[in-house]
Amino acid sequence: MSQKRKNLTIMLMANFLVAASATMVLPFLSLYIETFGTYSHEYIQRWSGFVFGVTFLTAFFISPLWGRIGDRFGYKPILLITGYGIATSIFLMGFMHSVGGLFILRGIMGAVTGFIPTSMALISSQTPKEEAGRTLGTLQMGTVSGGLFGPVIGGLLADNVGFSYTFIFTSIAIATAATVVLLGIDEQRSREQRDQRNKYSSKEVLQHIFDHKLLLTVLILSCLIQVANFSIQPLLALYVDELTSSSNLAFLAGIAFSATGFGNLIATRRWGQLGDDIGYEKVLSILLVLASIFIVPQALAVELWQLVLFRFLFGIAIGGMIPCVTAYIRQEAPLSMQGEVLGYNQSFRFLGNVIGPAFGGIVSGYIGISSVFYVTGALFLGAFGLLWWSIHHSESQSHVKEY
C-alpha cells in the first residue's frame, strides 16, 4: 500500500472516531445540565442552546488560524493539537458540576475544533486535482458514518454507565484517533508547500478569495447549506411527535435523523467522482436543486415512513455538497494557502451551524414547524440562483479577458 493510500485509510478511520465521539455527547447535553442543580425548564433550554452554540461560535473565529498554521508548518501537527485538545476538553466535561464551567469547556473545545477540516486539507494536498472529488468523498464517508453511529452509542453509554463516564469514554476514543495519526501518518509536503517564499499573508489569502468571485460564492454557499440543514434538525423530534403517537419517540426521531445520514453515506463518494468528471460547480448546482425538491415534501408528510423516505433522499443530495466544495477549493486555491482557505470555508460552515437552529426556531415559532421545510427549500433554490449567477458572471469575465 502506498503512503498516500495509507494516509487516506488512517484519516478515514480517525475521522470516524472523532465524528462519532463528537456527536456522542450532543443528545444529552440538556439532560447533563439538569444534574447540576434544580433549574427551571426555561433556564435549561436557554443554557442548552448557549452550551451547544458556543463551540461553533468559537470555532468560527479560530478555524482560519489553524488552516494558516497548517499551511506553514504541516497539517499533522494541527491534527495532533486539535485531536488531543478536543479529547482533553471532553474529558474535563465529565467532572463539571456547573453550567458556567461546562460553557467554558465547550468554548475551549471550539478553539481546538479543526481535526476533520485539517484532515481534508491533508488528504487534499496529496491528491491530484482530477481525483480530488472521489478521494475527498471517500474521506467524507468516515465523518458521515461516525455522525450516524455517534448519537446512538452515546445514548446507550449514558443510559448504562452515566453521563460522566460517557464523556470519559468519548475522550479516550478521540485520543486514540490522535494517537493513530501520530504513529501512522507520514505527511508528504510538496516543494510549493515547503518553500517559504511561496507563503501568503492573510491579506493576500483574503484578496485571492475576493478576486475569485466563484470561490467566494462557494464559501457563502457553505454557510447557506448549513443554515438550511440545521434549521430543521433541532425541531425534528417535535415534528416526529406530530406524525406518530408511539411512545418510542426518541428512537423514532433517531431513525428520522439517521435516514439523512444513510443517504449521505451512500452517495457522497459518487457525487465527488461525478464532480471530477463534469466539474464541481455543476454538480453542486444539481445538488442544490435536488435538495430543494426533496425537502419540501417533508412538510407534506402525514406518516412517519414518508418523512423518513424524503429525509433519506434529502441526505443523498446533501451528501455530495461537502466533497464538491472542498474539491473545488483544492482546484482554485494554491497549495500553500489551501489550508487557510479551507479554514475560512469551515468558519462559514460553523456560522451556518449557529444561525440555522435560531433561524428555524424563529420561523417555526411564527408559522409552524412544517413551514420551516418550505422556507428551507426556498433557501436552497436561492443558493442555486446565487451559484448560477456567479458561474455565468465568472464565465463572462473570462471571455472579456480573452479579448
Side-chain angles (χ1 to χ4, degrees):
M1 181 186 294
S2 68
Q3 186 60 49
K4 290 182 179 180
R5 189 70 183 174
K6 181 182 176 184
N7 286 350
L8 176 61
T9 303
I10 289 173
M11 291 316 310
L12 191 150
M13 293 187 295
N15 279 5
F16 172 83
L17 285 173
V18 171
S21 301
T23 54
M24 277 184 195
V25 299
L26 293 181
F28 60 78
L29 274 179
S30 58
L31 301 177
Y32 189 49
I33 291 173
E34 282 184 338
T35 66
F36 295 159
T38 304
Y39 305 118
S40 68
H41 189 62
E42 292 76 14
Y43 179 91
I44 293 171
Q45 280 188 326
R46 183 169 65 252
W47 274 99
S48 294
F50 292 156
V51 168
F52 178 84
V54 69
T55 301
F56 299 118
L57 188 61
T58 309
F60 167 74
F61 293 104
I62 299 296
S63 288
L65 177 61
W66 286 130
R68 181 166 184 78
I69 295 172
D71 287 335
R72 182 170 290 273
F73 299 107
Y75 301 121
K76 182 175 178 178
I78 305 304
L79 289 170
L80 298 178
I81 292 170
T82 55
Y84 287 121
I86 295 170
T88 301
S89 59
I90 290 180
F91 180 82
L92 294 175
M93 288 178 201
F95 299 92
M96 273 298 108
H97 299 288
S98 70
V99 179
L102 184 63
F103 179 83
I104 291 171
L105 284 174
R106 288 281 297 175
I108 294 172
M109 179 178 167
V112 292
T113 294
F115 187 93
I116 290 174
T118 303
S119 75
M120 300 283 271
L122 170 68
I123 299 303
S124 175
S125 68
Q126 66 174 33
T127 304
K129 291 182 178 181
E130 63 273 10
E131 300 175 7
R134 181 173 68 254
T135 302
L136 294 172
T138 302
L139 182 62
Q140 182 68 11
M141 289 171 65
T143 306
V144 170
S145 55
L148 267 177
F149 293 109
V152 177
I153 297 171
L156 290 173
L157 283 173
D159 287 340
N160 288 281
V161 300
F163 298 131
S164 293
Y165 280 108
T166 301
F167 281 107
I168 293 171
F169 289 144
T170 298
S171 67
I172 291 172
I174 296 177
T176 300
T179 304
V180 170
V181 169
L182 173 65
L183 300 177
I185 291 293
D186 179 16
E187 183 175 0
Q188 300 172 340
R189 292 173 63 79
S190 66
R191 170 178 278 185
E192 180 185 357
Q193 291 173 301
R194 294 192 303 267
D195 191 349
Q196 293 299 316
R197 292 173 299 176
N198 287 340
K199 298 304 175 185
Y200 296 86
S201 68
S202 293
K203 181 180 179 180
E204 288 172 323
V205 173
L206 288 171
Q207 188 66 49
H208 178 84
I209 293 172
F210 282 102
D211 285 345
H212 293 73
K213 296 296 189 295
L214 188 53
L215 178 58
L216 177 61
T217 299
V218 167
L219 296 184
I220 295 171
L221 288 180
S222 289
C223 178
L224 293 178
I225 290 166
Q226 293 303 103
V227 170
N229 196 23
F230 271 68
S231 62
I232 193 59
Q233 284 197 10
L235 305 168
L236 201 57
L238 298 175
Y239 191 59
V240 170
D241 191 28
E242 293 180 2
L243 298 177
T244 180
S245 57
S246 173
S247 58
N248 300 322
L249 179 59
F251 174 71
L252 295 175
I255 290 177
F257 269 103
S258 297
T260 305
F262 277 117
N264 271 226
L265 190 60
I266 289 172
T268 183
R269 189 173 185 271
R270 295 183 183 277
W271 286 123
Q273 189 169 4
L274 183 61
D276 292 336
D277 296 334
I278 69 172
Y280 308 114
E281 65 275 22
K282 293 178 182 177
V283 173
L284 194 54
S285 299
I286 294 169
L287 294 175
L288 289 169
V289 173
L290 288 178
S292 66
I293 291 173
F294 291 139
I295 200 168
V296 170
Q298 296 175 45
L300 305 173
V302 293
E303 299 285 346
L304 180 61
W305 70 266
Q306 296 170 346
L307 176 65
V308 170
L309 172 62
F310 282 106
R311 292 293 296 173
F312 171 75
L313 294 174
F314 175 69
I316 289 177
I318 287 288
M321 293 182 182
I322 294 176
C324 282
V325 167
T326 308
Y328 181 78
I329 292 172
R330 166 72 181 91
Q331 178 178 284
E332 293 298 316
L335 274 175
S336 49
M337 69 163 65
Q338 189 179 113
E340 188 167 356
V341 177
L342 286 171
Y344 280 112
N345 180 63
Q346 193 66 17
S347 287
F348 276 93
R349 285 173 53 79
F350 284 135
L351 182 62
N353 291 354
V354 174
I355 295 173
F359 175 75
I362 292 171
V363 171
S364 65
Y366 280 103
I367 48 180
I369 295 178
S370 61
S371 63
V372 178
F373 293 106
Y374 294 115
V375 174
T376 301
L379 193 59
F380 277 120
L381 277 182
F384 164 75
L386 176 62
L387 180 59
W388 182 86
W389 176 85
S390 186
I391 290 171
H392 285 270
H393 184 68
S394 298
E395 288 177 351
S396 64
Q397 277 192 331
S398 65
H399 287 315
V400 170
K401 288 178 181 178
E402 287 176 6
Y403 290 102

